PDB file of all heavy atoms in Angstrom:
ATOM      1  N   PRO A  30       0.820  -1.214   0.000  1.00  0.00           N
ATOM      2  CA  PRO A  30       0.000   0.000   0.000  1.00  0.00           C
ATOM      3  C   PRO A  30       0.854   1.265   0.000  1.00  0.00           C
ATOM      4  O   PRO A  30       1.885   1.332   0.653  1.00  0.00           O
ATOM      5  CB  PRO A  30      -0.797  -0.112   1.299  1.00  0.00           C
ATOM      6  CG  PRO A  30      -0.756  -1.562   1.657  1.00  0.00           C
ATOM      7  CD  PRO A  30       0.528  -2.087   1.109  1.00  0.00           C
ATOM      8  N   GLN A  31       0.400   2.268  -0.723  1.00  0.00           N
ATOM      9  CA  GLN A  31       1.158   3.504  -0.857  1.00  0.00           C
ATOM     10  C   GLN A  31       0.757   4.575   0.157  1.00  0.00           C
ATOM     11  O   GLN A  31       1.500   5.508   0.381  1.00  0.00           O
ATOM     12  CB  GLN A  31       0.962   4.069  -2.265  1.00  0.00           C
ATOM     13  CG  GLN A  31       1.459   3.150  -3.346  1.00  0.00           C
ATOM     14  CD  GLN A  31       2.960   2.933  -3.259  1.00  0.00           C
ATOM     15  OE1 GLN A  31       3.723   3.858  -3.097  1.00  0.00           O
ATOM     16  NE2 GLN A  31       3.388   1.689  -3.341  1.00  0.00           N
ATOM     17  N   ASN A  32      -0.410   4.468   0.741  1.00  0.00           N
ATOM     18  CA  ASN A  32      -0.940   5.529   1.587  1.00  0.00           C
ATOM     19  C   ASN A  32      -1.044   5.103   3.046  1.00  0.00           C
ATOM     20  O   ASN A  32      -2.093   5.215   3.664  1.00  0.00           O
ATOM     21  CB  ASN A  32      -2.312   5.971   1.081  1.00  0.00           C
ATOM     22  CG  ASN A  32      -2.237   6.541  -0.310  1.00  0.00           C
ATOM     23  OD1 ASN A  32      -1.290   7.228  -0.655  1.00  0.00           O
ATOM     24  ND2 ASN A  32      -3.226   6.254  -1.126  1.00  0.00           N
ATOM     25  N   ILE A  33       0.041   4.627   3.615  1.00  0.00           N
ATOM     26  CA  ILE A  33       0.048   4.237   5.021  1.00  0.00           C
ATOM     27  C   ILE A  33       0.412   5.456   5.856  1.00  0.00           C
ATOM     28  O   ILE A  33       1.429   6.107   5.610  1.00  0.00           O
ATOM     29  CB  ILE A  33       1.048   3.093   5.283  1.00  0.00           C
ATOM     30  CG1 ILE A  33       0.682   1.864   4.471  1.00  0.00           C
ATOM     31  CG2 ILE A  33       1.120   2.765   6.767  1.00  0.00           C
ATOM     32  CD1 ILE A  33      -0.653   1.243   4.823  1.00  0.00           C
ATOM     33  N   TYR A  34      -0.439   5.745   6.824  1.00  0.00           N
ATOM     34  CA  TYR A  34      -0.225   6.893   7.698  1.00  0.00           C
ATOM     35  C   TYR A  34      -0.177   6.445   9.147  1.00  0.00           C
ATOM     36  O   TYR A  34      -0.862   5.497   9.538  1.00  0.00           O
ATOM     37  CB  TYR A  34      -1.349   7.923   7.537  1.00  0.00           C
ATOM     38  CG  TYR A  34      -1.343   8.571   6.182  1.00  0.00           C
ATOM     39  CD1 TYR A  34      -2.104   8.047   5.140  1.00  0.00           C
ATOM     40  CD2 TYR A  34      -0.574   9.695   5.946  1.00  0.00           C
ATOM     41  CE1 TYR A  34      -2.087   8.635   3.888  1.00  0.00           C
ATOM     42  CE2 TYR A  34      -0.545  10.294   4.702  1.00  0.00           C
ATOM     43  CZ  TYR A  34      -1.313   9.753   3.667  1.00  0.00           C
ATOM     44  OH  TYR A  34      -1.279  10.341   2.437  1.00  0.00           O
ATOM     45  N   ILE A  35       0.599   7.146   9.928  1.00  0.00           N
ATOM     46  CA  ILE A  35       0.665   6.938  11.367  1.00  0.00           C
ATOM     47  C   ILE A  35      -0.072   8.103  12.021  1.00  0.00           C
ATOM     48  O   ILE A  35       0.245   9.268  11.762  1.00  0.00           O
ATOM     49  CB  ILE A  35       2.120   6.906  11.882  1.00  0.00           C
ATOM     50  CG1 ILE A  35       2.930   5.825  11.175  1.00  0.00           C
ATOM     51  CG2 ILE A  35       2.157   6.751  13.395  1.00  0.00           C
ATOM     52  CD1 ILE A  35       2.510   4.430  11.471  1.00  0.00           C
ATOM     53  N   LEU A  36      -1.057   7.782  12.833  1.00  0.00           N
ATOM     54  CA  LEU A  36      -1.777   8.798  13.597  1.00  0.00           C
ATOM     55  C   LEU A  36      -1.379   8.645  15.051  1.00  0.00           C
ATOM     56  O   LEU A  36      -1.368   7.526  15.581  1.00  0.00           O
ATOM     57  CB  LEU A  36      -3.283   8.609  13.467  1.00  0.00           C
ATOM     58  CG  LEU A  36      -3.865   8.668  12.069  1.00  0.00           C
ATOM     59  CD1 LEU A  36      -5.352   8.355  12.108  1.00  0.00           C
ATOM     60  CD2 LEU A  36      -3.635  10.039  11.471  1.00  0.00           C
ATOM     61  N   ASN A  37      -1.071   9.745  15.699  1.00  0.00           N
ATOM     62  CA  ASN A  37      -0.745   9.681  17.115  1.00  0.00           C
ATOM     63  C   ASN A  37      -1.151  10.972  17.789  1.00  0.00           C
ATOM     64  O   ASN A  37      -1.372  11.984  17.140  1.00  0.00           O
ATOM     65  CB  ASN A  37       0.741   9.384  17.328  1.00  0.00           C
ATOM     66  CG  ASN A  37       1.640  10.444  16.750  1.00  0.00           C
ATOM     67  OD1 ASN A  37       1.490  11.617  17.046  1.00  0.00           O
ATOM     68  ND2 ASN A  37       2.579  10.050  15.912  1.00  0.00           N
ATOM     69  N   GLY A  38      -1.272  10.897  19.095  1.00  0.00           N
ATOM     70  CA  GLY A  38      -1.646  12.083  19.845  1.00  0.00           C
ATOM     71  C   GLY A  38      -1.704  11.766  21.322  1.00  0.00           C
ATOM     72  O   GLY A  38      -1.429  10.640  21.753  1.00  0.00           O
ATOM     73  N   THR A  39      -2.081  12.757  22.080  1.00  0.00           N
ATOM     74  CA  THR A  39      -2.213  12.627  23.518  1.00  0.00           C
ATOM     75  C   THR A  39      -3.598  13.123  23.916  1.00  0.00           C
ATOM     76  O   THR A  39      -4.046  14.162  23.433  1.00  0.00           O
ATOM     77  CB  THR A  39      -1.128  13.457  24.228  1.00  0.00           C
ATOM     78  OG1 THR A  39       0.152  13.034  23.738  1.00  0.00           O
ATOM     79  CG2 THR A  39      -1.165  13.248  25.729  1.00  0.00           C
ATOM     80  N   ILE A  40      -4.255  12.370  24.788  1.00  0.00           N
ATOM     81  CA  ILE A  40      -5.611  12.695  25.218  1.00  0.00           C
ATOM     82  C   ILE A  40      -5.563  13.300  26.622  1.00  0.00           C
ATOM     83  O   ILE A  40      -4.949  12.743  27.530  1.00  0.00           O
ATOM     84  CB  ILE A  40      -6.516  11.439  25.223  1.00  0.00           C
ATOM     85  CG1 ILE A  40      -6.488  10.744  23.853  1.00  0.00           C
ATOM     86  CG2 ILE A  40      -7.936  11.798  25.649  1.00  0.00           C
ATOM     87  CD1 ILE A  40      -7.013  11.556  22.712  1.00  0.00           C
ATOM     88  N   TYR A  41      -6.236  14.443  26.761  1.00  0.00           N
ATOM     89  CA  TYR A  41      -6.344  15.153  28.033  1.00  0.00           C
ATOM     90  C   TYR A  41      -7.820  15.320  28.389  1.00  0.00           C
ATOM     91  O   TYR A  41      -8.672  15.375  27.503  1.00  0.00           O
ATOM     92  CB  TYR A  41      -5.750  16.550  27.918  1.00  0.00           C
ATOM     93  CG  TYR A  41      -4.284  16.599  27.612  1.00  0.00           C
ATOM     94  CD1 TYR A  41      -3.825  16.585  26.301  1.00  0.00           C
ATOM     95  CD2 TYR A  41      -3.346  16.673  28.632  1.00  0.00           C
ATOM     96  CE1 TYR A  41      -2.468  16.642  26.009  1.00  0.00           C
ATOM     97  CE2 TYR A  41      -1.986  16.732  28.358  1.00  0.00           C
ATOM     98  CZ  TYR A  41      -1.559  16.722  27.045  1.00  0.00           C
ATOM     99  OH  TYR A  41      -0.218  16.766  26.761  1.00  0.00           O
ATOM    100  N   ASP A  42      -8.114  15.473  29.685  1.00  0.00           N
ATOM    101  CA  ASP A  42      -9.473  15.813  30.086  1.00  0.00           C
ATOM    102  C   ASP A  42      -9.639  17.330  30.100  1.00  0.00           C
ATOM    103  O   ASP A  42      -8.717  18.076  29.733  1.00  0.00           O
ATOM    104  CB  ASP A  42      -9.842  15.168  31.429  1.00  0.00           C
ATOM    105  CG  ASP A  42      -9.066  15.719  32.611  1.00  0.00           C
ATOM    106  OD1 ASP A  42      -8.376  16.749  32.484  1.00  0.00           O
ATOM    107  OD2 ASP A  42      -9.144  15.103  33.690  1.00  0.00           O
ATOM    108  N   GLU A  43     -10.806  17.794  30.508  1.00  0.00           N
ATOM    109  CA  GLU A  43     -11.089  19.234  30.489  1.00  0.00           C
ATOM    110  C   GLU A  43     -10.209  20.033  31.451  1.00  0.00           C
ATOM    111  O   GLU A  43     -10.083  21.246  31.333  1.00  0.00           O
ATOM    112  CB  GLU A  43     -12.579  19.492  30.795  1.00  0.00           C
ATOM    113  CG  GLU A  43     -13.024  19.048  32.168  1.00  0.00           C
ATOM    114  CD  GLU A  43     -13.335  17.575  32.293  1.00  0.00           C
ATOM    115  OE1 GLU A  43     -13.375  16.850  31.286  1.00  0.00           O
ATOM    116  OE2 GLU A  43     -13.535  17.128  33.430  1.00  0.00           O
ATOM    117  N   LYS A  44      -9.570  19.360  32.413  1.00  0.00           N
ATOM    118  CA  LYS A  44      -8.656  20.034  33.352  1.00  0.00           C
ATOM    119  C   LYS A  44      -7.196  19.884  32.929  1.00  0.00           C
ATOM    120  O   LYS A  44      -6.292  20.148  33.697  1.00  0.00           O
ATOM    121  CB  LYS A  44      -8.862  19.482  34.755  1.00  0.00           C
ATOM    122  CG  LYS A  44     -10.232  19.774  35.314  1.00  0.00           C
ATOM    123  CD  LYS A  44     -10.406  19.178  36.687  1.00  0.00           C
ATOM    124  CE  LYS A  44     -11.812  19.430  37.166  1.00  0.00           C
ATOM    125  NZ  LYS A  44     -12.063  18.765  38.444  1.00  0.00           N
ATOM    126  N   GLN A  45      -6.976  19.394  31.717  1.00  0.00           N
ATOM    127  CA  GLN A  45      -5.643  19.187  31.142  1.00  0.00           C
ATOM    128  C   GLN A  45      -4.846  18.073  31.827  1.00  0.00           C
ATOM    129  O   GLN A  45      -3.612  18.070  31.775  1.00  0.00           O
ATOM    130  CB  GLN A  45      -4.840  20.496  31.126  1.00  0.00           C
ATOM    131  CG  GLN A  45      -5.470  21.581  30.257  1.00  0.00           C
ATOM    132  CD  GLN A  45      -5.672  21.140  28.820  1.00  0.00           C
ATOM    133  OE1 GLN A  45      -4.746  20.700  28.165  1.00  0.00           O
ATOM    134  NE2 GLN A  45      -6.895  21.236  28.324  1.00  0.00           N
ATOM    135  N   ASN A  46      -5.557  17.117  32.454  1.00  0.00           N
ATOM    136  CA  ASN A  46      -4.914  15.921  32.999  1.00  0.00           C
ATOM    137  C   ASN A  46      -4.817  14.872  31.904  1.00  0.00           C
ATOM    138  O   ASN A  46      -5.745  14.708  31.101  1.00  0.00           O
ATOM    139  CB  ASN A  46      -5.735  15.351  34.170  1.00  0.00           C
ATOM    140  CG  ASN A  46      -5.826  16.316  35.329  1.00  0.00           C
ATOM    141  OD1 ASN A  46      -4.828  16.877  35.746  1.00  0.00           O
ATOM    142  ND2 ASN A  46      -7.030  16.521  35.828  1.00  0.00           N
ATOM    143  N   LEU A  47      -3.713  14.151  31.857  1.00  0.00           N
ATOM    144  CA  LEU A  47      -3.556  13.052  30.894  1.00  0.00           C
ATOM    145  C   LEU A  47      -4.564  11.959  31.199  1.00  0.00           C
ATOM    146  O   LEU A  47      -4.844  11.673  32.365  1.00  0.00           O
ATOM    147  CB  LEU A  47      -2.138  12.490  30.979  1.00  0.00           C
ATOM    148  CG  LEU A  47      -1.030  13.458  30.594  1.00  0.00           C
ATOM    149  CD1 LEU A  47       0.315  12.878  30.979  1.00  0.00           C
ATOM    150  CD2 LEU A  47      -1.077  13.774  29.118  1.00  0.00           C
ATOM    151  N   ILE A  48      -5.101  11.334  30.152  1.00  0.00           N
ATOM    152  CA  ILE A  48      -6.086  10.264  30.324  1.00  0.00           C
ATOM    153  C   ILE A  48      -5.459   8.929  29.940  1.00  0.00           C
ATOM    154  O   ILE A  48      -5.247   8.648  28.762  1.00  0.00           O
ATOM    155  CB  ILE A  48      -7.333  10.497  29.449  1.00  0.00           C
ATOM    156  CG1 ILE A  48      -7.942  11.854  29.715  1.00  0.00           C
ATOM    157  CG2 ILE A  48      -8.331   9.387  29.653  1.00  0.00           C
ATOM    158  CD1 ILE A  48      -8.810  11.935  30.914  1.00  0.00           C
ATOM    159  N   SER A  49      -5.166   8.126  30.915  1.00  0.00           N
ATOM    160  CA  SER A  49      -4.646   6.780  30.692  1.00  0.00           C
ATOM    161  C   SER A  49      -5.820   5.832  30.470  1.00  0.00           C
ATOM    162  O   SER A  49      -6.807   5.886  31.198  1.00  0.00           O
ATOM    163  CB  SER A  49      -3.852   6.331  31.926  1.00  0.00           C
ATOM    164  OG  SER A  49      -3.465   4.992  31.804  1.00  0.00           O
ATOM    165  N   GLY A  50      -5.731   4.991  29.448  1.00  0.00           N
ATOM    166  CA  GLY A  50      -6.780   4.002  29.183  1.00  0.00           C
ATOM    167  C   GLY A  50      -7.956   4.516  28.383  1.00  0.00           C
ATOM    168  O   GLY A  50      -8.946   3.805  28.230  1.00  0.00           O
ATOM    169  N   ALA A  51      -7.883   5.733  27.844  1.00  0.00           N
ATOM    170  CA  ALA A  51      -8.948   6.232  26.974  1.00  0.00           C
ATOM    171  C   ALA A  51      -8.978   5.382  25.700  1.00  0.00           C
ATOM    172  O   ALA A  51      -7.950   4.910  25.226  1.00  0.00           O
ATOM    173  CB  ALA A  51      -8.723   7.698  26.626  1.00  0.00           C
ATOM    174  N   VAL A  52     -10.157   5.195  25.159  1.00  0.00           N
ATOM    175  CA  VAL A  52     -10.326   4.389  23.951  1.00  0.00           C
ATOM    176  C   VAL A  52     -10.462   5.327  22.751  1.00  0.00           C
ATOM    177  O   VAL A  52     -11.267   6.265  22.774  1.00  0.00           O
ATOM    178  CB  VAL A  52     -11.568   3.483  24.079  1.00  0.00           C
ATOM    179  CG1 VAL A  52     -11.792   2.690  22.803  1.00  0.00           C
ATOM    180  CG2 VAL A  52     -11.428   2.556  25.281  1.00  0.00           C
ATOM    181  N   VAL A  53      -9.661   5.087  21.724  1.00  0.00           N
ATOM    182  CA  VAL A  53      -9.706   5.880  20.500  1.00  0.00           C
ATOM    183  C   VAL A  53     -10.196   4.965  19.377  1.00  0.00           C
ATOM    184  O   VAL A  53      -9.590   3.943  19.094  1.00  0.00           O
ATOM    185  CB  VAL A  53      -8.303   6.445  20.151  1.00  0.00           C
ATOM    186  CG1 VAL A  53      -8.363   7.275  18.880  1.00  0.00           C
ATOM    187  CG2 VAL A  53      -7.738   7.251  21.312  1.00  0.00           C
ATOM    188  N   LYS A  54     -11.320   5.339  18.786  1.00  0.00           N
ATOM    189  CA  LYS A  54     -11.928   4.558  17.699  1.00  0.00           C
ATOM    190  C   LYS A  54     -11.716   5.317  16.398  1.00  0.00           C
ATOM    191  O   LYS A  54     -11.874   6.535  16.347  1.00  0.00           O
ATOM    192  CB  LYS A  54     -13.427   4.396  17.962  1.00  0.00           C
ATOM    193  CG  LYS A  54     -14.186   3.741  16.838  1.00  0.00           C
ATOM    194  CD  LYS A  54     -15.679   3.767  17.116  1.00  0.00           C
ATOM    195  CE  LYS A  54     -16.460   3.308  15.914  1.00  0.00           C
ATOM    196  NZ  LYS A  54     -17.903   3.483  16.113  1.00  0.00           N
ATOM    197  N   ILE A  55     -11.369   4.606  15.331  1.00  0.00           N
ATOM    198  CA  ILE A  55     -11.230   5.249  14.021  1.00  0.00           C
ATOM    199  C   ILE A  55     -12.175   4.589  13.024  1.00  0.00           C
ATOM    200  O   ILE A  55     -12.332   3.368  13.003  1.00  0.00           O
ATOM    201  CB  ILE A  55      -9.774   5.225  13.501  1.00  0.00           C
ATOM    202  CG1 ILE A  55      -9.672   6.029  12.213  1.00  0.00           C
ATOM    203  CG2 ILE A  55      -9.268   3.828  13.330  1.00  0.00           C
ATOM    204  CD1 ILE A  55      -8.299   6.470  11.853  1.00  0.00           C
ATOM    205  N   SER A  56     -12.801   5.452  12.216  1.00  0.00           N
ATOM    206  CA  SER A  56     -13.719   5.007  11.171  1.00  0.00           C
ATOM    207  C   SER A  56     -13.377   5.714   9.873  1.00  0.00           C
ATOM    208  O   SER A  56     -12.878   6.841   9.872  1.00  0.00           O
ATOM    209  CB  SER A  56     -15.162   5.340  11.544  1.00  0.00           C
ATOM    210  OG  SER A  56     -15.525   4.718  12.744  1.00  0.00           O
ATOM    211  N   GLU A  57     -13.658   5.043   8.763  1.00  0.00           N
ATOM    212  CA  GLU A  57     -13.483   5.623   7.433  1.00  0.00           C
ATOM    213  C   GLU A  57     -14.856   6.021   6.915  1.00  0.00           C
ATOM    214  O   GLU A  57     -15.788   5.213   6.934  1.00  0.00           O
ATOM    215  CB  GLU A  57     -12.853   4.595   6.506  1.00  0.00           C
ATOM    216  CG  GLU A  57     -12.680   5.085   5.084  1.00  0.00           C
ATOM    217  CD  GLU A  57     -12.130   3.994   4.188  1.00  0.00           C
ATOM    218  OE1 GLU A  57     -12.935   3.143   3.740  1.00  0.00           O
ATOM    219  OE2 GLU A  57     -10.912   3.973   3.962  1.00  0.00           O
ATOM    220  N   ILE A  58     -14.987   7.258   6.449  1.00  0.00           N
ATOM    221  CA  ILE A  58     -16.250   7.774   5.934  1.00  0.00           C
ATOM    222  C   ILE A  58     -16.133   7.925   4.426  1.00  0.00           C
ATOM    223  O   ILE A  58     -15.202   8.561   3.927  1.00  0.00           O
ATOM    224  CB  ILE A  58     -16.582   9.157   6.551  1.00  0.00           C
ATOM    225  CG1 ILE A  58     -16.431   9.141   8.071  1.00  0.00           C
ATOM    226  CG2 ILE A  58     -17.950   9.634   6.096  1.00  0.00           C
ATOM    227  CD1 ILE A  58     -17.331   8.226   8.806  1.00  0.00           C
ATOM    228  N   ASP A  59     -17.089   7.330   3.700  1.00  0.00           N
ATOM    229  CA  ASP A  59     -17.148   7.484   2.242  1.00  0.00           C
ATOM    230  C   ASP A  59     -18.247   8.499   1.936  1.00  0.00           C
ATOM    231  O   ASP A  59     -19.440   8.188   2.075  1.00  0.00           O
ATOM    232  CB  ASP A  59     -17.462   6.145   1.579  1.00  0.00           C
ATOM    233  CG  ASP A  59     -17.408   6.212   0.061  1.00  0.00           C
ATOM    234  OD1 ASP A  59     -17.811   7.258  -0.506  1.00  0.00           O
ATOM    235  OD2 ASP A  59     -16.977   5.227  -0.553  1.00  0.00           O
ATOM    236  N   PRO A  60     -17.882   9.732   1.546  1.00  0.00           N
ATOM    237  CA  PRO A  60     -18.898  10.762   1.333  1.00  0.00           C
ATOM    238  C   PRO A  60     -19.785  10.516   0.106  1.00  0.00           C
ATOM    239  O   PRO A  60     -20.906  11.017   0.062  1.00  0.00           O
ATOM    240  CB  PRO A  60     -18.078  12.043   1.171  1.00  0.00           C
ATOM    241  CG  PRO A  60     -16.736  11.584   0.707  1.00  0.00           C
ATOM    242  CD  PRO A  60     -16.529  10.228   1.313  1.00  0.00           C
ATOM    243  N   VAL A  61     -19.307   9.757  -0.849  1.00  0.00           N
ATOM    244  CA  VAL A  61     -20.109   9.479  -2.047  1.00  0.00           C
ATOM    245  C   VAL A  61     -21.174   8.431  -1.738  1.00  0.00           C
ATOM    246  O   VAL A  61     -22.358   8.614  -2.012  1.00  0.00           O
ATOM    247  CB  VAL A  61     -19.202   9.022  -3.215  1.00  0.00           C
ATOM    248  CG1 VAL A  61     -20.036   8.597  -4.408  1.00  0.00           C
ATOM    249  CG2 VAL A  61     -18.229  10.135  -3.592  1.00  0.00           C
ATOM    250  N   LYS A  62     -20.754   7.324  -1.133  1.00  0.00           N
ATOM    251  CA  LYS A  62     -21.694   6.250  -0.791  1.00  0.00           C
ATOM    252  C   LYS A  62     -22.446   6.522   0.504  1.00  0.00           C
ATOM    253  O   LYS A  62     -23.388   5.815   0.835  1.00  0.00           O
ATOM    254  CB  LYS A  62     -20.939   4.929  -0.652  1.00  0.00           C
ATOM    255  CG  LYS A  62     -20.319   4.452  -1.936  1.00  0.00           C
ATOM    256  CD  LYS A  62     -19.575   3.157  -1.717  1.00  0.00           C
ATOM    257  CE  LYS A  62     -18.897   2.675  -2.971  1.00  0.00           C
ATOM    258  NZ  LYS A  62     -18.112   1.447  -2.729  1.00  0.00           N
ATOM    259  N   LYS A  63     -21.993   7.548   1.256  1.00  0.00           N
ATOM    260  CA  LYS A  63     -22.590   7.896   2.552  1.00  0.00           C
ATOM    261  C   LYS A  63     -22.571   6.712   3.505  1.00  0.00           C
ATOM    262  O   LYS A  63     -23.569   6.381   4.149  1.00  0.00           O
ATOM    263  CB  LYS A  63     -23.991   8.453   2.383  1.00  0.00           C
ATOM    264  CG  LYS A  63     -24.018   9.715   1.550  1.00  0.00           C
ATOM    265  CD  LYS A  63     -25.389  10.307   1.478  1.00  0.00           C
ATOM    266  CE  LYS A  63     -25.525  11.407   0.576  1.00  0.00           C
ATOM    267  NZ  LYS A  63     -25.134  12.510   0.302  1.00  0.00           N
ATOM    268  N   THR A  64     -21.391   6.072   3.578  1.00  0.00           N
ATOM    269  CA  THR A  64     -21.203   4.934   4.458  1.00  0.00           C
ATOM    270  C   THR A  64     -20.029   5.180   5.402  1.00  0.00           C
ATOM    271  O   THR A  64     -19.172   6.026   5.142  1.00  0.00           O
ATOM    272  CB  THR A  64     -20.935   3.643   3.666  1.00  0.00           C
ATOM    273  OG1 THR A  64     -19.759   3.836   2.866  1.00  0.00           O
ATOM    274  CG2 THR A  64     -22.099   3.270   2.774  1.00  0.00           C
ATOM    275  N   SER A  65     -20.036   4.433   6.473  1.00  0.00           N
ATOM    276  CA  SER A  65     -18.956   4.499   7.450  1.00  0.00           C
ATOM    277  C   SER A  65     -18.455   3.081   7.673  1.00  0.00           C
ATOM    278  O   SER A  65     -19.245   2.148   7.801  1.00  0.00           O
ATOM    279  CB  SER A  65     -19.492   5.087   8.756  1.00  0.00           C
ATOM    280  OG  SER A  65     -18.496   5.061   9.742  1.00  0.00           O
ATOM    281  N   ARG A  66     -17.126   2.936   7.712  1.00  0.00           N
ATOM    282  CA  ARG A  66     -16.524   1.619   7.930  1.00  0.00           C
ATOM    283  C   ARG A  66     -15.617   1.699   9.152  1.00  0.00           C
ATOM    284  O   ARG A  66     -14.718   2.538   9.237  1.00  0.00           O
ATOM    285  CB  ARG A  66     -15.716   1.196   6.709  1.00  0.00           C
ATOM    286  CG  ARG A  66     -15.073  -0.175   6.857  1.00  0.00           C
ATOM    287  CD  ARG A  66     -14.470  -0.655   5.549  1.00  0.00           C
ATOM    288  NE  ARG A  66     -13.313   0.112   5.154  1.00  0.00           N
ATOM    289  CZ  ARG A  66     -12.060  -0.350   5.142  1.00  0.00           C
ATOM    290  NH1 ARG A  66     -11.809  -1.594   5.508  1.00  0.00           N
ATOM    291  NH2 ARG A  66     -11.074   0.410   4.749  1.00  0.00           N
ATOM    292  N   PHE A  67     -15.874   0.821  10.109  1.00  0.00           N
ATOM    293  CA  PHE A  67     -15.073   0.742  11.322  1.00  0.00           C
ATOM    294  C   PHE A  67     -13.675   0.233  10.984  1.00  0.00           C
ATOM    295  O   PHE A  67     -13.523  -0.751  10.277  1.00  0.00           O
ATOM    296  CB  PHE A  67     -15.755  -0.197  12.315  1.00  0.00           C
ATOM    297  CG  PHE A  67     -14.925  -0.553  13.504  1.00  0.00           C
ATOM    298  CD1 PHE A  67     -14.655   0.382  14.475  1.00  0.00           C
ATOM    299  CD2 PHE A  67     -14.409  -1.828  13.637  1.00  0.00           C
ATOM    300  CE1 PHE A  67     -13.887   0.053  15.581  1.00  0.00           C
ATOM    301  CE2 PHE A  67     -13.644  -2.170  14.730  1.00  0.00           C
ATOM    302  CZ  PHE A  67     -13.380  -1.226  15.703  1.00  0.00           C
ATOM    303  N   PHE A  68     -12.643   0.932  11.473  1.00  0.00           N
ATOM    304  CA  PHE A  68     -11.255   0.507  11.258  1.00  0.00           C
ATOM    305  C   PHE A  68     -10.683  -0.210  12.464  1.00  0.00           C
ATOM    306  O   PHE A  68      -9.977  -1.182  12.327  1.00  0.00           O
ATOM    307  CB  PHE A  68     -10.383   1.729  10.952  1.00  0.00           C
ATOM    308  CG  PHE A  68     -10.027   1.897   9.511  1.00  0.00           C
ATOM    309  CD1 PHE A  68     -10.829   1.430   8.503  1.00  0.00           C
ATOM    310  CD2 PHE A  68      -8.875   2.540   9.163  1.00  0.00           C
ATOM    311  CE1 PHE A  68     -10.505   1.599   7.178  1.00  0.00           C
ATOM    312  CE2 PHE A  68      -8.526   2.719   7.838  1.00  0.00           C
ATOM    313  CZ  PHE A  68      -9.344   2.246   6.848  1.00  0.00           C
ATOM    314  N   GLY A  69     -10.930   0.313  13.643  1.00  0.00           N
ATOM    315  CA  GLY A  69     -10.383  -0.327  14.826  1.00  0.00           C
ATOM    316  C   GLY A  69     -10.298   0.606  16.009  1.00  0.00           C
ATOM    317  O   GLY A  69     -10.718   1.755  15.950  1.00  0.00           O
ATOM    318  N   TYR A  70      -9.749   0.071  17.090  1.00  0.00           N
ATOM    319  CA  TYR A  70      -9.569   0.804  18.331  1.00  0.00           C
ATOM    320  C   TYR A  70      -8.107   0.782  18.733  1.00  0.00           C
ATOM    321  O   TYR A  70      -7.368  -0.128  18.380  1.00  0.00           O
ATOM    322  CB  TYR A  70     -10.335   0.147  19.480  1.00  0.00           C
ATOM    323  CG  TYR A  70     -11.818   0.192  19.396  1.00  0.00           C
ATOM    324  CD1 TYR A  70     -12.548  -0.928  19.027  1.00  0.00           C
ATOM    325  CD2 TYR A  70     -12.506   1.354  19.719  1.00  0.00           C
ATOM    326  CE1 TYR A  70     -13.922  -0.902  18.980  1.00  0.00           C
ATOM    327  CE2 TYR A  70     -13.886   1.391  19.672  1.00  0.00           C
ATOM    328  CZ  TYR A  70     -14.592   0.261  19.307  1.00  0.00           C
ATOM    329  OH  TYR A  70     -15.953   0.298  19.256  1.00  0.00           O
ATOM    330  N   THR A  71      -7.733   1.758  19.528  1.00  0.00           N
ATOM    331  CA  THR A  71      -6.481   1.727  20.257  1.00  0.00           C
ATOM    332  C   THR A  71      -6.771   2.332  21.622  1.00  0.00           C
ATOM    333  O   THR A  71      -7.801   2.971  21.819  1.00  0.00           O
ATOM    334  CB  THR A  71      -5.345   2.472  19.524  1.00  0.00           C
ATOM    335  OG1 THR A  71      -4.115   2.221  20.186  1.00  0.00           O
ATOM    336  CG2 THR A  71      -5.590   3.952  19.436  1.00  0.00           C
TER     337      THR A  71
END
């Protein structure tokens, strides 16, 4: 595959505390077909 991307970041709460164990879900949205495909969690 030619379009492999790495996504990363840090999750904070509203008080700017780091959130350990937060679940990040990613989905792919197709605007033409108006569909959503689940990719996974981290």
Side-chain angles (χ1 to χ4, degrees):
Q31 298 296 314
N32 298 322
I33 300 296
Y34 293 92
I35 303 293
L36 301 176
N37 61 53
T39 304
I40 306 297
Y41 297 88
D42 67 11
E43 63 279 351
K44 295 178 183 175
Q45 297 303 306
N46 297 313
L47 296 169
I48 305 279
S49 174
V52 177
V53 180
K54 174 187 171 187
I55 186 160
S56 300
E57 178 184 81
I58 311 297
D59 185 324
V61 174
K62 295 179 182 177
K63 299 184 187 301
T64 59
S65 175
R66 181 171 69 111
F67 170 71
F68 257 28
Y70 292 104
T71 189

